[in-house]
Amino acid sequence: MAKSSEARELNEYFKEHSMYDFLKVIKRFYPGLFKCFGSCDKDPRKQNRIKYTTGIILTMLFFKYVCSIVSMHSMADKFNVGTVIENLLNLSGETGLQNIPHYQTINDFLARLSPVFLEEMRCNIITHLIRTNQFYSYRLDKQYWLILIDGTGIYGGSRKIHSKCLFRVHNKKQADEYTTYHIQVLEAKLLLFGINIPFSIMSEYIENTPEDEKSDKKMSDEKYKQDCERKAFTRLAKRIKEKFPHMPICIVADALYNTEPVIATCEKYRWKYIFRFKDGTIQSIAEEVQGLADEMEAGVPNELEPVRDVAYLKDIEYGGHKVTYLRATDRKIVVERKETRGQKKTKKDPAPIKFQWITNLDLSPRFAVKVALAGRARWKIENEGFNRQKNWVGNMTHLCSWNEQAIKNHYCMMQIADIFRMLFEYVNITSKKIKRTFEQIADDLYTAFSRANLFAEEAKGKYKTVLEKLVFG
């Protein structure tokens, strides 16, 4: 009974206070957020005919993803509640309005707004978080910021949304031949090493250019190559270097990126890198490692670290670059399901799984263990980044518009909202070792947002300092 009573009290607390705690996180890490929404200097509309400012439009879109609302229709249904309307208008500073914009008005605005505005805002948020020194202890060896690189798809179907879509021809040269079109994006995420929170810092769309279309007409199907992750990485790396020119960066990526051009790009920008290495990918490295196996140095993990059998080999020649080979094993529980219904699952002893990387970091026995842990953290961009956004935070693959610019603005706002969602979850839930599912967290936030007017007289005394800081910056 005691446990169930505690659970009820905890549920009631979150449903009443979650949104206030969320706003406290914004005040702590980026208090000028809502002011930035209202100070858009790239508003494409005629200024003398505007009823709804960028402040209320972008504030609504922000809370759509904060509350994990999938579609624009659902947003309209859930936000057209008296208390939610009052909270949205007050947070955006639009106290003179009586209602909020229709979802089609929001999509029309996003279709005309240049994606550059939200992209720059996301970079400014990350820059501010870095400069506050609150996350310095989450760098690799207290020196390098880990940047995870990986691609994902946000659309795939028979409809060609714009001329730059990637495409795939199925059953080529057969009677039932058909084509599907895809929108893919290469994502760069800043990983807070140790607590493994990935923040999106920049995105590069993998899409065909007009030059690709001209080449397509001149080339055969066998020779024509579309845009890909490696090409997109070159463009993304250039943008990251321009935006964060003095930032000590270590790129972490999968085996797709351990190629000479990608390594040359990292060396050019004086970045460190940790790339996954798989048997059969680079034969020259595999042969040298096999031939010099007796000369490998051993890492020294402690008992609490999940990696074992850490070993590395320095100064391997690859494409004119010196790389270090690193390997480690990670323990994983192997679960055996019993066929008899009603019986519990049984667990076997942990079975070690081998992982390998190549890096240009200068390894030592102890530092090699940290690098191996950083390499293993790469899956966070897949699990904590893309999976949560596809399944729990707004459903990334559900397009809220068929317009190219609107799609990009929706995607970028999802990334901005998820930065603060993850900070909120860590500060108020994970760090306190409280168990809440993503669905519960989303429901808590919306319930707290819709249950009471945060700006009502009876609430002002409690929330005054936080709310004034958020609205007036």
Side-chain angles (χ1 to χ4, degrees):
M1 291 295 291
K3 288 187 177 180
S4 61
S5 176
E6 290 176 4
R8 282 195 298 269
E9 290 178 5
L10 189 64
N11 285 334
E12 187 58 32
Y13 172 84
F14 278 113
K15 291 187 182 300
E16 183 175 351
H17 298 283
S18 283
M19 186 53 68
Y20 174 62
D21 290 339
F22 178 77
L23 295 176
K24 282 176 65 177
V25 166
I26 297 178
K27 174 183 175 292
R28 173 182 171 184
F29 292 102
Y30 199 73
L33 178 67
F34 298 112
K35 191 175 180 180
C36 290
F37 288 157
S39 61
C40 175
D41 58 354
K42 294 180 172 60
D43 192 339
R45 301 170 297 173
K46 293 183 179 179
Q47 299 303 301
N48 60 346
R49 300 180 64 182
I50 291 176
K51 179 179 179 181
Y52 300 107
T53 66
T54 59
I56 183 60
I57 290 175
L58 295 178
T59 298
M60 280 186 66
L61 192 65
F62 174 77
F63 281 104
K64 170 189 181 296
Y65 290 111
V66 167
C67 298
S68 300
I69 301 173
V70 176
S71 69
M72 297 296 280
H73 288 276
S74 298
M75 181 194 72
D77 293 338
K78 290 192 171 187
F79 283 0
N80 273 300
V81 178
T83 50
V84 177
I85 293 174
E86 291 171 350
N87 287 329
L88 288 170
L89 294 176
N90 280 294
L91 284 169
S92 61
E94 298 297 330
T95 53
L97 295 174
Q98 299 298 319
N99 50 42
I100 56 177
H102 189 268
Y103 72 86
Q104 191 57 55
T105 302
I106 297 175
N107 266 345
D108 289 343
F109 169 74
L110 295 176
R112 299 174 63 188
L113 176 68
S114 170
V116 173
F117 173 72
L118 289 178
E119 289 172 359
E120 288 180 349
M121 182 184 292
R122 174 175 51 176
C123 284
N124 292 337
I125 292 170
I126 295 298
T127 301
H128 177 81
L129 293 176
I130 291 173
R131 288 179 177 174
T132 57
N133 298 342
Q134 296 187 67
F135 301 122
Y136 268 37
S137 59
Y138 302 121
R139 295 172 296 170
L140 176 63
D141 202 34
K142 297 184 179 180
Q143 182 177 0
Y144 301 107
W145 293 101
L146 293 179
I147 303 292
L148 309 183
I149 303 292
D150 203 1
T152 189
I154 59 177
Y155 168 76
S158 59
R159 181 168 180 170
K160 187 176 183 180
I161 296 178
H162 55 78
S163 61
K164 296 177 284 186
C165 281
L166 302 179
F167 62 88
R168 179 179 297 173
V169 180
H170 303 262
N171 303 328
K172 189 178 293 186
K173 296 181 181 180
Q174 298 180 18
D176 56 347
E177 176 181 315
Y178 66 97
T179 303
T180 55
Y181 299 94
H182 305 267
I183 298 178
Q184 296 183 351
V185 61
L186 186 65
E187 190 71 26
K189 290 185 182 284
L190 176 71
L191 181 73
L192 301 185
F193 184 56
I195 57 177
N196 290 343
I197 298 178
F199 297 144
S200 171
I201 65 170
M202 202 170 287
S203 308
E204 180 66 34
Y205 283 85
I206 305 171
E207 51 191 16
N208 297 322
T209 63
E211 289 73 20
D212 292 327
E213 291 185 5
K214 292 179 182 178
S215 300
D216 184 22
K217 296 177 182 179
K218 299 177 183 178
M219 300 170 68
S220 64
D221 292 341
E222 290 73 17
K223 292 184 178 181
Y224 175 64
K225 294 186 181 296
Q226 302 184 73
D227 197 16
C228 64
E229 284 192 30
R230 290 175 184 169
K231 292 181 183 178
F233 174 78
T234 303
R235 303 191 298 270
L236 180 63
K238 182 180 179 182
R239 291 172 55 207
I240 294 174
K241 186 63 178 179
E242 290 173 352
K243 191 64 181 178
F244 307 99
H246 306 297
M247 185 176 177
I249 289 174
C250 179
I251 300 292
V252 185
D254 60 25
L256 179 68
Y257 295 89
N258 56 15
T259 62
E260 293 181 28
V262 173
I263 290 176
T265 299
C266 292
E267 297 284 1
K268 173 185 174 182
Y269 296 140
R270 297 182 179 180
W271 291 345
K272 301 301 181 182
Y273 56 82
I274 305 170
F275 295 146
R276 179 79 188 276
F277 179 80
K278 293 183 179 179
D279 293 332
T281 52
I282 305 176
Q283 195 62 31
S284 60
I285 293 180
E287 291 175 355
E288 187 162 353
V289 168
Q290 187 176 5
L292 300 174
D294 295 337
E295 299 181 17
M296 295 186 69
E297 300 179 57
V300 185
N302 62 41
E303 294 182 357
L304 299 177
E305 290 167 335
V307 292
R308 291 289 183 272
D309 305 321
V310 180
Y312 58 94
L313 182 63
K314 292 184 176 182
D315 297 329
I316 299 176
E317 185 73 25
Y318 176 57
H321 305 283
K322 294 288 186 181
V323 303
T324 297
Y325 168 84
L326 171 67
R327 76 180 182 204
T329 57
D330 198 346
R331 295 169 295 175
K332 182 179 180 181
I333 300 295
V334 178
V335 177
E336 180 186 2
R337 295 181 180 272
K338 287 190 175 181
E339 295 182 0
T340 308
R341 181 175 294 182
Q343 287 187 324
K344 295 182 178 180
K345 301 174 184 177
T346 58
K347 296 181 179 180
K348 291 183 176 180
D349 292 332
I353 298 178
K354 178 182 174 183
F355 292 93
Q356 305 170 93
W357 304 270
I358 59 171
T359 179
N360 61 344
L361 288 162
D362 185 16
L363 301 187
S364 64
R366 184 69 194 126
F367 186 44
V369 177
K370 294 183 180 180
V371 174
L373 291 171
R376 286 292 294 121
R378 188 199 64 80
W379 66 273
K380 277 288 176 182
I381 194 174
E382 190 85 21
N383 287 0
E384 295 295 331
F386 295 141
N387 283 352
R388 65 178 274 132
Q389 291 173 2
K390 287 180 178 179
N391 298 303
W392 303 298
V393 184
N395 193 343
M396 182 198 303
T397 57
H398 176 89
L399 297 187
C400 293
S401 173
W402 293 110
N403 178 273
E404 177 188 359
Q405 287 200 161
I407 291 171
K408 291 181 178 181
N409 282 318
H410 273 286
Y411 179 82
C412 193
M413 182 59 84
M414 179 188 292
Q415 305 305 324
I416 292 173
D418 205 25
I419 290 173
F420 295 99
R421 263 286 296 263
M422 285 187 284
L423 286 171
F424 163 74
E425 291 168 13
Y426 179 75
V427 171
N428 294 282
I429 299 173
T430 308
S431 64
K432 297 178 180 179
K433 298 182 179 179
I434 298 173
K435 293 184 179 180
R436 302 291 285 177
T437 66
F438 289 111
E439 292 84 354
Q440 287 176 322
I441 294 169
D443 183 62
D444 293 338
L445 287 166
Y446 174 73
T447 302
F449 203 39
S450 61
R451 179 176 286 188
N453 180 0
L454 300 175
F455 291 80
E457 288 299 326
E458 58 270 20
K460 275 187 176 179
K462 185 176 182 180
Y463 304 149
K464 183 177 179 181
T465 305
V466 173
L467 297 176
E468 285 184 352
K469 186 71 174 178
L470 288 172
V471 175
F472 303 111

